[in-house]
Amino acid sequence: MASTIFDKSRATRRAKAQHPTLASSPELPSKFLRTEQPMLPEVSELQAVRHFTNLARRNFSIDTHFYPLGSCTMKYNPRGAHRAAMQEGFLQRHPLTPASHSQGTLACLYELQETLQTVTGTAQVCLTPMAGAQGELTGALMIKAYHADHGDTERNEIIVPTAAHGTNPATASMAGLVAKEVQVNAEGDVDLHSLEQVVGPKTAGVMLTNPSTCAVFERKIETISDIVHGAGGLLYYDGANLNAILGRARPGDMQFDVLHLNLHKTFATPHGGGGPGAGPVGANELLAPYLPTPLVAKDENGYRWVEQEERPHSIGRLSAFMGNVGILLRAYAYALMLGRDGMRRVSEFATLNANYLMQRLADAGFELPYPNRRATHEFTISLRREAHETTVTAMDFAKRLLDYGFHAPTTYFPLLIPECFLIEPTETETKEELDAFADAMIAILKESHDNPAYVKQAPHQQSIGRLDEVQAVRKLDVTAIPS
Ligand SMILES: *Cc1c(COP(=O)(O)O)cnc(C)c1O
């Protein structure tokens, strides 16, 4: 068992440079000073460095391992974009610095707005939402505000297909809308009959995750648009996985009124562990007035913020200042590095890699839930037959993959597919890496027949073994207080 840094603690051992001497600070009133020593481990600087370096080495990360976590787009984050965003001028700029002294930052943000408008086919993009889910909330609030403005106060229902990302019904509910589920058919498309049943005078709109979580591209978008627009509703596009279509197809051209994208997925900014992110929202002419503030505008005097006073219909602020500027700057640098052709290559290789890996796994006998459909940037397989024949489940496969040096794909999601893996190789992997992953899956399949108990106890070569997931959720205890 790993020892905590407290186990290494010895009284009075110090990393001198890291030992704050707050008590000597004359500005702090004495009532705020501690009277007891803080409970900190007493270790040398070298011990601290080793401890945390060794902990970090146990991580599975994009920088260390193939990470095909479907829907999350765990792809390489170019160091060049990172370096550009880490320049002193950006880092040292105080968020309250006036626009006249922030022209460089504002220019980058303005151009990012313009770039995202172009790639999504929208009239105006707002950069401030700080996650995909916050972008969805923004869109749902805008749809609501639009209907309210038009005296359409009865429209409180939002249609969400069962193949939507789980955040869609959640954010719609947070916005005060009632989520109405529609089914998808056996091919993974929205069931139009079921859609026609639920649309009506109460329909505020539809939220469409595309490609859906079944990892297929919705083929009936035009009909869906006709049905929902025809009933007076609006169309929301969950574009978190825009890498499937980047540079090739634009939600704006598909009649969507409002959408979000995840810069921390498609635009290669680091994510994982819950943050930070950026979920810009784009809207057509109809909904643009409702976008949050601030936006960035450009006029003869240069770049400036556009605040609430100029945007009376805006739903208001969703973040302090300008959202996660560090993430926005990385995305801007990434967009510049790619250019128009590079963006097309992103979707080309994202889909090529997914289709290649899907075919290799299908050839090895793994079940494709939608065998007649091409993969988008990701695909699903179902391990239900394996689970039935060998008792080795998708979860067991996922744990055993760690021993082979691969982060697990998304498991048991979407819920529509039993014993599901949602696999997203991303465009930044080599053919050799994809082959190695397919080989590992094939090897585990063989192990499942030869020695299922061994697979069911995996992982065997990690710093910790199988956790009791129920206990981990219900009785999570991450404290390491010395006794
Ligand atoms: C990741 C994702 C989201 C949510 O984005 P967050 O930044 O995690 O809030 C929404 N929809 C889809 C399709 C996603 O893949």
Side-chain angles (χ1 to χ4, degrees), residues 26-48:
E27 297 90 52
L28 279 180
S30 57
K31 65 176 175 179
F32 293 130
L33 296 181
R34 327 180 151 267
T35 50
E36 286 167 28
Q37 282 295 316
M39 206 161 30
L40 291 173
E42 298 180 76
V43 293
S44 76
E45 189 162 326
L46 176 59
Q47 280 183 302

Side-chain angles (χ1 to χ4, degrees), residues 262-290:
N262 279 29
L263 298 186
H264 48 291
K265 294 178 182 171
T266 310
F267 284 78
T269 54
H271 65 297
V281 171
N284 62 9
E285 300 285 353
L286 201 65
L287 284 186
Y290 302 92

